[in-house]
Structures are given as C-alpha cells and as structure tokens.
Amino acid sequence: MTLKVYTSLLLLFLVNSVWTRTVRQAYDELDPEHWSHYTSECPRECFCPPSFPNALYCDNKGLKEIPAIPARIWYLYLQNNLIETVSEKPFANATHLRWINLNKNKITNSGIESGVLSKLKRLLYLFLEDNELEEVPAPLPVGLEQLRLARNRISRIPEGVFSNLENLTMLDLHQNSLLDSALQSDTFQGLNNLMQLNIAKNSLKKMPLSIPANTLQLFLDNNSIEVIPENYFSAIPKVTFLRLNYNKLSDDGIPPNGFNVSSILDLQLSHNQLTKIPPINAHLEHLHLDHNRIKSVNGTQICPVSIAIAEDYGFHGNIPRLRYLRLDGNEIQPPIPLDIMICFRLLQAVVI
C-alpha cells in the first residue's frame, strides 16, 4: 500500500516537470529556418523561445492586459504583472492551452469575463494565486487537473463549482478567508479523483465536511480547529498525509482512536494544546508533536502493539513502523524512555 501511495504522490508532484521536459525535448532540434516565423507571431511584450515554441513568457513585464495568444501556445506564463481582467478576446485563437500561470496579478471576480475560463477546453493547470479574488471563479474547464487559488480573499465557494471537475487532483485554497459556513456538505461534490486538498491558513473552527473519498493529502494547518469528530477519517480511507499544525486541538477534542487510522503515514500535530500523545496506528511512519504541552512519554501506553510483541524480533506483521518522532518544545526531559525504543524498533530520529 505504501508503494502505491508514494507512486500516486510522485505522479502528482512531478508530472509538471516531466511533461514540460518532454515537450522541450521534442523541439530541441527545431530547424532554425522556422525561428523567424515563431518570432514574428510572438506578442512584442513577451518572449517566445525558439527551442520551446509551445511556450509564451509574458511574466514580469508590467502588463495590464493579456496580449493576443498565438494558436500554437500550450504553456502561458503571465505571473508578476498588473493584469486586472481576463477577457475572451486574447484567447480567441488559443484553443490548445494546457497551462496558464496568472499568479501575482490584480485579478478580481468581476474582472473575469463570464464563461472565458470554461471555454478553454484543453486547460489542465490554472494558477491564480496572489490575486484579489473573493470567491472561486466559475465556471471552470471540465478537464482541469490542478487549481491553485492560494493567497486571495476567497470567502465563498459557489454552489456546484466543482461538480464537473472529475479530473481535478489538486485544489489549493490556502491562506484565504474561508469560514466553516463556506464549506457545505456538497461543496466538494464531483471531485472524485482529488488527491491533495489544501485549506491551511483560513478561519476554520471545525473539520471540513465531506472531503472527497480519494484524498491522500489533507492540509489544515493554521486554522482554529478544536475537535476531530468521531470516525471522521472513515469517510476518507486513503488519507496518507495529514497536517493539523497550529490549531487549537486539546486532549478532549480528539476521540479515543481518532488518529488510530491505518492509512495515515505522516501525522503533524505541532503547535496545539495536547498534554499527551494520542493513540496511533502501527502503520504511522512520521509523527510531529512538537510545541504542545506534553510533560512525559510512556512507551507502554502509546505503543500500538503490546510491548511483549514489540520485543519479539521474529514478529514483523504488526511491528510499529514509526521512523521519525518529534517532541521538542514540550515539557519532556531527556533521556528517552527505554520502552519507546523497545516499541518503535524502526525509529531513525527522535527530537526531544
């Protein structure tokens, strides 16, 4: 299972670079006699590398408007400009666009012409980070695979905005203005293939409702979450990486077996209000509990199997897999208790 999960994550995070590299290689041997054609078609404000004719670089140019995009372009870089509007006209011929980077502009929802994004039928990656959006733009291209909306002013998610995005694997909404009321039970409906959901640095007090079942990575750092509902993770049985750093979790806010979930390999609970280590599963590999209020550690109590089983070198079926344990910033005094080392035989690093 671990190998399968890491394979999926590798595809999620490296597909961009692999795809781009493949396209670049395809044009490395471009005949110089065609360079003048690509140069003449290039908007004067932008750069069109002859060795990569599917890309258009218009970043860091002080642009206030999007220039006309040539039909051949797949990759469009418009980040770090002063663009306020996204209208249909510049995209009239750009029917092959796969990737648009509009990060760090001044785009508002009212500045996005109705339907302009959904008409980009082949678009897979849309980056609109560091703009002035107040809600998730809609409608969106149905084939979209990554949507990055971090560091806007988003406080509202229109009903049904994600309902047709079956191919979306990454949704990044971190550092916005989302309240619990913005996340309804059907907000993420339709995101059947979502792998990563990032809602960190918002204003949530509760765990979000109805997370897509296939989610592997759930990031909820820097909110004000106090309680983990009973059996919350049974609805997302594949969750592997869970980040809840910088919240308001206390011992009373965590059910007895709240984090005793076999799918979770990396659990981060740093900077909360815990006074003891919550029960964990034998499959867990990385545990971050630094900067809580923990005063002591009892290996016999936190060991996910009995110490007698852990001492049996020949028993490998349920041997705890914990490799990294971080406990600094608590009130724990060294040395590390011996029963911790007896239980977690695979530990490679303990920070205390």
Side-chain angles (χ1 to χ4, degrees):
M1 175 184 173
T2 302
L3 179 59
K4 185 176 181 181
V5 168
Y6 283 136
T7 301
S8 299
L9 294 174
L10 185 62
L11 287 172
L12 175 65
F13 288 109
L14 299 183
V15 67
N16 298 355
S17 59
V18 172
W19 184 9
T20 303
R21 192 186 316 123
T22 302
V23 174
R24 286 183 182 275
Q25 290 170 348
Y27 291 95
D28 278 345
E29 303 300 326
L30 185 68
D31 191 332
E33 72 181 36
H34 296 297
W35 291 4
S36 60
H37 166 68
Y38 292 121
T39 302
S40 63
E41 202 182 26
C42 184
R44 61 180 179 81
E45 309 96 329
C46 307
F47 172 59
C48 299
S51 61
F52 193 20
N54 286 110
L56 180 61
Y57 291 88
C58 308
D59 52 310
N60 297 286
K61 302 294 183 182
L63 299 180
K64 294 184 177 180
E65 296 181 349
I66 299 174
I69 311 302
R72 71 175 190 274
I73 298 303
W74 287 22
Y75 303 95
L76 177 58
Y77 298 90
L78 288 161
Q79 67 269 28
N80 293 300
N81 281 294
L82 303 171
I83 297 169
E84 297 181 358
T85 60
V86 181
S87 60
E88 188 174 337
K89 185 177 179 181
F91 298 101
N93 297 319
T95 57
H96 296 283
L97 277 174
R98 264 65 164 181
W99 173 306
I100 299 178
N101 189 333
L102 277 160
N103 292 345
K104 295 187 178 180
N105 278 283
K106 297 182 178 297
I107 299 168
T108 61
N109 288 94
S110 61
I112 301 177
E113 187 175 336
S114 178
V116 62
L117 296 175
S118 62
K119 291 178 181 178
L120 301 173
K121 302 294 185 182
R122 300 187 182 184
L123 194 67
L124 301 179
Y125 300 84
L126 178 58
F127 301 167
L128 280 163
E129 299 178 342
D130 295 285
N131 277 280
E132 299 175 10
L133 299 173
E134 295 183 350
E135 63 180 50
V136 175
L140 293 162
V142 295
L144 210 60
E145 293 183 4
Q146 289 192 16
L147 178 60
R148 305 194 186 200
L149 298 169
R151 294 177 298 277
N152 276 273
R153 304 172 184 174
I154 296 173
S155 61
R156 181 174 177 271
I157 301 178
E159 184 177 356
V161 67
F162 302 127
S163 59
N164 295 319
L165 302 187
E166 292 189 0
N167 295 327
L168 198 72
T169 59
M170 176 190 286
L171 175 58
D172 190 346
L173 287 162
H174 88 269
Q175 201 165 333
N176 276 285
S177 302
L178 292 170
L179 298 171
D180 296 320
S181 58
L183 305 180
Q184 300 299 314
S185 59
D186 59 351
T187 295
F188 302 112
Q189 184 175 343
L191 299 179
N192 299 327
N193 290 297
L194 194 71
M195 296 171 65
Q196 184 187 107
L197 177 60
N198 191 341
I199 326 179
K201 294 188 177 182
N202 277 278
S203 299
L204 304 181
K205 293 183 179 180
K206 299 178 181 179
M207 295 291 285
L209 301 171
S210 301
I211 300 297
N214 286 318
T215 302
L216 295 174
Q217 297 183 323
L218 179 58
F219 302 152
L220 291 163
D221 313 75
N222 292 90
N223 280 285
S224 298
I225 296 170
E226 298 179 354
V227 176
I228 307 294
E230 190 83 34
N231 300 318
Y232 181 84
F233 299 105
S234 62
I236 41 175
K238 298 181 181 180
V239 65
T240 305
F241 293 85
L242 177 62
R243 291 199 333 221
L244 280 159
N245 303 319
Y246 291 96
N247 276 281
K248 296 182 179 180
L249 289 171
S250 63
D251 302 328
D252 293 336
I254 300 176
N257 284 295
F259 296 120
N260 188 0
V261 180
S262 61
S263 65
I264 299 177
L265 303 183
D266 190 298
L267 176 59
Q268 299 191 20
L269 297 167
S270 304
H271 293 272
N272 277 279
Q273 299 170 12
L274 303 176
T275 64
K276 60 184 179 182
I277 298 177
I280 60 175
N281 193 272
H283 290 89
L284 188 67
E285 296 182 4
H286 295 84
L287 178 58
H288 297 247
L289 285 164
D290 55 286
H291 297 91
N292 276 273
R293 300 174 182 175
I294 301 170
K295 295 182 178 181
S296 63
V297 181
N298 186 316
T300 302
Q301 291 179 354
I302 69 170
C303 190
V305 300
S306 72
I307 289 293
I309 291 177
E311 285 184 295
D312 183 0
Y313 283 99
F315 187 89
H316 296 290
N318 288 323
I319 187 170
R321 301 178 186 176
L322 194 67
R323 289 171 167 79
Y324 180 87
L325 175 60
R326 184 169 178 184
L327 292 166
D328 56 305
N330 285 282
E331 300 176 30
I332 302 168
Q333 299 296 321
I336 300 168
L338 179 60
D339 51 5
I340 292 286
M341 309 311 296
I342 292 174
C343 175
F344 301 108
R345 295 296 181 92
L346 301 180
L347 264 177
Q348 299 174 355
V350 180
V351 184
I352 193 170

